[in-house]
Amino acid sequence: PGAPWGLPLDETTLPQILKEYNYSTHMVGKWHLGSHKWAYTPVYRGFDDFLGMFQGAEDYFTHYRFNGFDLRYDWLNEDGEFNEELRWDLDGIYSPEYYSQRAMDIIRSHDKSVDKPFFIYLPYQTAHNPHQVSQHYIDRYASHFRYEDEQVFAGMVSAMDEGIGNITAAIRDSGLNEDTVLIFATDNGGCVNNGQQLNTSSSNYPFRGGKKSVYEGGVRTPSLVWAPNRVTPGEETS
């Protein structure tokens, strides 16, 4: 975070390729691929708009990191001009909730009569440190786990799961389920030594290692593809 580098500018991103095929491209969530210069930020890397944070490990409610507020909406207007807005109005709102809502708004506003497909990249902040979640999610697990940090972590996973469920429902309700490919993935294995939060450290068994390692436990992760009529149900591959 805060380092003067990012994803190299000579790397072509997926949204840049999709725009060549007339896609509208949207990003919601955690960027963390460079922000020391505007050229490294989402709307300059192929996205039409971006609601989220440049950095990582931010407070889920205040949206502060390094003593600075980092929750913004950036977009390109019809003339390709850059616009930016700090979203102070979302102060105090749990980030996965408005990330999910933004994705649902994009899906529901899609005009199927126009030959212009859309792409949404939604990297949730969950379940990264700091471990925080709304109290009603914690209450669900008060009788399931002894330790509060376990209750919080379980609540964070449930909040993300609920958001994904709402997004898939929006896809179905909009009549887009037959024309949509949904990919669920993670960027690294579980953290096997989670500092002070030992009760929520992960296990990547049977693989060795975890996050920040190049062992299979750090780089080999599960993923899921949902694509009706395109992927055989129940098919597995390693």
Side-chain angles (χ1 to χ4, degrees):
W5 57 74
L7 181 68
L9 298 180
D10 58 357
E11 294 283 352
T12 301
T13 66
L14 177 58
Q16 288 173 327
I17 295 173
L18 292 176
K19 287 189 72 64
E20 296 177 1
Y21 294 89
N22 200 37
Y23 274 73
S24 63
T25 56
H26 314 272
M27 180 180 169
V28 186
K30 174 185 173 182
W31 175 240
H32 211 194
L33 290 173
S35 58
H36 64 293
K37 294 181 180 179
W38 285 116
Y40 287 82
T41 60
V43 296
Y44 289 96
R45 305 308 301 268
F47 290 101
D48 293 326
D49 50 61
F50 163 65
L51 172 65
M53 57 186 188
F54 283 159
Q55 302 294 331
E58 297 183 351
D59 189 286
Y60 282 73
F61 294 95
T62 67
H63 319 303
Y64 268 76
R65 174 69 161 153
F66 299 126
N67 298 316
F69 185 80
D70 184 20
L71 179 58
R72 57 191 304 113
Y73 178 60
D74 297 343
W75 74 99
L76 298 175
N77 63 20
E78 295 181 354
D79 297 322
E81 297 173 332
F82 174 75
N83 296 267
E84 60 173 322
E85 177 186 2
L86 288 176
R87 293 299 305 270
W88 296 102
D89 57 305
L90 296 176
D91 179 27
I93 301 177
Y94 190 54
S95 65
E97 295 179 359
Y98 58 76
Y99 288 161
S100 300
Q101 186 60 55
R102 170 59 180 162
M104 290 187 287
D105 290 343
I106 295 170
I107 293 165
R108 290 167 175 162
S109 64
H110 177 66
D111 186 354
K112 293 188 295 183
S113 66
V114 178
D115 184 20
K116 190 175 182 65
F118 65 88
F119 169 68
I120 302 175
Y121 172 49
L122 172 55
Y124 278 103
Q125 184 180 359
T126 315
H128 197 287
N129 288 337
H131 287 175
Q132 299 171 323
V133 71
S134 300
Q135 186 62 44
H136 66 91
Y137 287 108
I138 300 175
D139 294 341
R140 294 182 185 180
Y141 296 99
S143 61
H144 292 75
F145 298 105
R146 175 187 299 181
Y147 300 106
E148 183 179 0
D149 53 355
E150 293 178 316
Q151 297 168 13
V152 171
F153 189 82
M156 293 174 73
V157 175
S158 287
M160 179 177 63
D161 183 66
E162 184 176 291
I164 294 170
N166 291 336
I167 290 169
T168 55
I171 293 172
R172 292 191 181 95
D173 293 345
S174 299
L176 298 171
N177 52 304
E178 296 296 325
D179 300 310
T180 299
V181 176
L182 192 153
I183 301 173
F184 182 80
T186 183
D187 58 350
N188 52 253
C191 187
V192 296
N193 183 7
N194 206 17
Q196 299 298 316
Q197 297 170 308
L198 297 178
N199 293 315
T200 55
S201 291
S202 301
S203 170
N204 299 297
Y205 182 83
F207 303 121
R208 178 183 181 184
K211 181 178 180 179
K212 298 184 179 180
S213 81
V214 295
Y215 294 116
E216 282 197 307
V219 299
R220 186 172 179 176
T221 62
S223 60
L224 179 148
V225 178
W226 179 73
N229 301 322
R230 290 174 172 81
V231 175
T232 303
E235 185 176 11
E236 297 183 10
T237 179
S238 59

